[in-house]
């Protein structure tokens, strides 16, 4: 059972909470675009004020070498566990803008969903934790556990400055468990606790040919075309079935245990329904694995964008002199991002087309993460979901990457609980991002229940 007291509070304040969330979502806190630097400050300031209003203490905005971090705490539960809640207030760019049905920073509610950039990833979920704390403090005057908030503004660009911040503030961030709501549920009515995430390694390949674009009639067939060169190079990375052809790429991949494969099979994931939902003629991926195994426990190499040449209306008969591509790899335990980037560079060098110069730039990196799912903090999260959703919780891995998770594990040495409320269908990182308000409503109650349930443990019982 979840608390009737909290249930009443959330019901009575729902309209106010949604209005506040719409304010938060209206701030275009896009961390990757320099023109939004002031909006990043506004996002941090809005969040800090919301924390103060909720009753959190020691609220502050800490500057980093990039965008600011927001910290707050409430530490008046002696002998009880301390939870460090992590999230991010930055969001992805919104392009292509013409595909949005409503303006991305004018949050709109329709069909019991809230549509806006950041609604699901991750402003909506961070906001829920703040409101759960507010409900407990206003209804009971105290929290059942100690809590610290660490909300950053650079997750969408790989958290380049957060490792240093955590190292410098290691003592201030000391806790017994880290809770992150930046993952998803298994389905609309199927809650899930995520116990593993894939890592990330990204590169950009730039191809340079002649001194400038050339007339295809005068030079075609005699000078290398940069676009043909990049296409030839990109085609070498995977075979037609999706198996990655980079030498040594699979060397350190930790294989799935039979227990995990059985657990994933027991979820009875409907691959046909997914195909129909995505409107694709067939699913695709590495042979010998189910869809869930491919997206949770196998590494990937994906071309995220290709650029070069003429793409305007009509035709322009030129040989482009420059072209490029952006590639990201999702990594699994025990792959190392630096090693993978080195192997990608070696592959580019070995497969470099004739007649052009090729350079490789490094981008986002993040290590994969996995933790035992029988840890009491993780099992308690599952029990809290079940108290509200009234169905068994699934224990899953996540296909995405949260680079700071592995850093938290290494720097702070704490168990990490990934309890999210988003759905894979909610278009985060794409036009028309949205968040199902049914999960917003239930999620508030799950979080409140989790904080209450965690109070039964001593800090020693939560040690890894």
């Amino acid at each position: 059972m979840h608390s009737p007291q909290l249930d009443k509070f959330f019901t009575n304040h729902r309209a106010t909470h949604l209005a506040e969330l719409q304010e938060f979502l209206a701030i275009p806190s896009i961390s990757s675009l320099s023109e939004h630097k002031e909006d990043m400050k506004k996002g941090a300031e809005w969040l800090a004020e919301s924390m103060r209003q909720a009753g959190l203490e020691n609220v502050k905005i800490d500057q980093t070498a990039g965008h600011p971090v927001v910290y707050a705490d409430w530490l008046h539960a002696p002998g009880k566990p301390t939870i460090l809640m992590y999230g991010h207030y930055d969001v992805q760019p919104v392009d292509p803008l013409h595909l949005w049905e409503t303006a991305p920073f004018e949050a709109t509610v329709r069909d019991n969903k809230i549509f806006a950039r950041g609604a699901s990833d991750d402003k909506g979920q961070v906001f829920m934790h703040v409101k759960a704390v507010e409900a407990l403090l206003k209804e009971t005057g105290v929290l059942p556990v100690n809590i610290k908030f660490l909300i950053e503004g650079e997750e969408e660009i790989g958290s380049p400055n957060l490792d240093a911040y955590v190292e410098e503030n290691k003592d201030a961030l000391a806790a017994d468990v880290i809770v992150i709501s930046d993952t998803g549920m298994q389905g609309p009515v199927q809650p899930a606790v995520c116990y593993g995430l894939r890592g990330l390694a990204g590169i950009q390949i730039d191809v340079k040919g002649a001194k400038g674009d050339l007339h295809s009639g005068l030079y075609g067939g005699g000078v290398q075309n940069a676009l043909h060169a990049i296409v030839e190079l990109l085609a070498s990375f995977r075979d037609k079935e999706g198996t990655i052809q980079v030498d040594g790429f699979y060397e350190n991949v930790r294989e799935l245990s039979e227990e995990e494969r059985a657990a994933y099979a027991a979820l009875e994931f409907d691959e046909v329904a997914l195909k129909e939902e995505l409107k694709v003629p067939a699913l695709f991926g590495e042979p010998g694995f189910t869809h869930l195994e491919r997206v949770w426990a196998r590494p990937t190499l994906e071309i995220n964008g290709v650029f070069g040449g003429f793409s305007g209306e009509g035709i322009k008969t030129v040989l482009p002199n420059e072209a490029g591509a952006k590639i990201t790899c999702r990594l699994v335990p025990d792959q190392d991002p630096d090693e993978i980037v080195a192997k990608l560079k070696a592959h580019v060098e070995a497969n470099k087309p004739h007649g052009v110069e090729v350079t490789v730039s490094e981008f986002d990196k993040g290590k994969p993460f996995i933790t035992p799912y029988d840890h009491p903090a993780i099992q308690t999260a599952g029990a809290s979901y079940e108290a509200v959703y009234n169905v068994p919780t699934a224990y899953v891995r996540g296909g995405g990457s949260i680079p700071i998770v592995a850093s938290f594990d290494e720097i702070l040495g704490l168990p990490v609980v990934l309890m999210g409320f988003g759905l894979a269908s909610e278009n985060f990182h794409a036009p028309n991002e949205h968040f199902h308000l049914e999960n917003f409503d239930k999620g508030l109650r799950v979080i409140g229940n989790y904080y209450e349930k965690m109070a039964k443990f001593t800090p020693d019982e939560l040690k890894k």
Side-chain angles (χ1 to χ4, degrees), residues 73-110:
D73 63 34
W74 190 95
L75 306 173
H76 303 292
K80 299 296 183 181
T82 298
I83 295 174
L84 174 62
M85 193 277 150
Y86 163 84
H88 63 94
Y89 65 90
D90 65 321
V91 301
Q92 283 277 323
V94 298
D95 55 306
L97 189 59
H98 71 277
L99 294 181
W100 285 82
E101 294 179 20
T102 52
F105 294 110
E106 294 177 12
T108 304
V109 176
R110 60 181 186 273

Side-chain angles (χ1 to χ4, degrees), residues 92-96 99-100 104 116-118 121 426-434:
Q92 283 277 323
V94 298
D95 55 306
L99 294 181
W100 285 82
R117 175 58 88 227
D121 181 22
E426 289 179 336
N427 290 357
F428 37 84
H429 293 210
N432 302 309
E433 179 180 348
H434 56 279

